[in-house]
Amino acid sequence: MRLLRCGTDAVLVELDTLGEVAAVRAALAAAAGRGELPGLVELVPAARTVLACFEPGTGGRQRLRAVLDHADLEHPPAGAPRRVVLPAVYDGPDLDLVARTAGVGPGEVVRLHSEADYTVAFCGFAPGFGYLSGLPEPLRQARLDSPRERVPAGAIGVAGEFTGAYPRSSPGGWRLIARLADTAEPLFDPLRDPAALLAPGDLVRFEVAGGNTS
């Protein structure tokens, strides 16, 4: 673990694994809730880092290392995560490719993906895009050799150890296996509070919706 000063009121915690990121984020949030980390206004996890931002003059930044030194990162606070269900139609253009690469049939890809429990590890790339950890091992596959110039909003893909859904149309190289059903709540709505449907730490399930071709 390495701590790097970011400006006057933030610290970047560098870590080795996604599990350590989740543990540090949970430990810092719990410490702030107990009043041990005053002035904490934002925690921004990424694949291997957590950025902790503080209000000026609160002294929270100076207490960060002591909190981490005493935190049990092997058994982080469980908390009460929010649960989100995303209805999905499994008719993505790369469904057969993912099935062939995994050595299974398309129906098994649907079963593996929809029966898994996911956690929002971090958010990024586009507003409302959540990187979901917990992808079953056979579905952990490389990105496409040639990214698409346009991925439609709502497309659900896999890449490496993550799965996720595109909140808006954009270029992208993930292997697309499904799309959000018309009944799904928007992943990002600037008129909603909060605007993003998913937040780090949320638990997510994909529910098979009608119209699947598998």
Side-chain angles (χ1 to χ4, degrees):
M1 181 188 305
R2 187 165 69 141
L3 275 60
L4 300 175
R5 180 89 170 264
C6 292
T8 58
D9 301 296
V11 177
L12 186 71
V13 185
E14 291 189 337
L15 301 151
D16 294 326
T17 67
L18 197 63
E20 290 179 356
V21 168
V24 165
R25 184 195 61 78
L28 295 181
R34 296 191 301 266
E36 299 173 5
L37 206 56
L40 181 67
V41 293
E42 190 173 19
L43 287 172
V44 185
R48 295 294 182 267
T49 61
V50 178
L51 179 67
C53 304
F54 298 88
E55 292 181 0
T58 58
R61 180 181 60 79
Q62 291 81 357
R63 300 189 189 185
L64 180 65
R65 182 175 293 278
V67 169
L68 289 174
D69 286 344
H70 291 88
D72 183 359
L73 299 185
E74 294 186 3
H75 304 90
R82 193 170 60 99
R83 298 180 181 273
V84 180
V85 176
L86 299 176
V89 179
Y90 286 86
D91 59 359
D94 300 320
L95 180 60
D96 288 341
L97 170 62
V98 171
R100 290 196 305 271
T101 304
V104 300
E108 181 66 2
V109 172
V110 174
R111 187 191 70 80
L112 288 170
H113 190 266
S114 62
E115 291 185 359
D117 294 311
Y118 301 101
T119 301
V120 181
F122 56 96
C123 297
F125 170 64
F129 189 95
Y131 289 78
L132 310 183
S133 63
L135 188 67
E137 189 65 38
L139 305 184
R140 299 184 181 188
Q141 301 181 13
R143 289 169 169 78
L144 297 173
D145 292 335
S146 298
R148 290 181 171 89
E149 293 183 2
R150 181 183 179 277
V151 175
I156 299 169
V158 296
E161 62 184 309
F162 299 110
T163 187
Y166 288 74
R168 65 184 184 187
S169 176
S170 68
W174 290 33
R175 298 188 180 195
L176 306 180
I177 61 173
R179 57 184 167 87
L180 293 177
D182 293 340
T183 56
E185 190 173 351
L187 294 173
F188 186 79
D189 181 354
L191 301 180
R192 184 178 58 199
D193 186 18
L197 178 63
L198 303 178
D202 287 350
L203 300 182
V204 178
R205 288 290 301 270
F206 290 95
E207 183 178 78
V208 179
N212 285 284
T213 60
S214 301

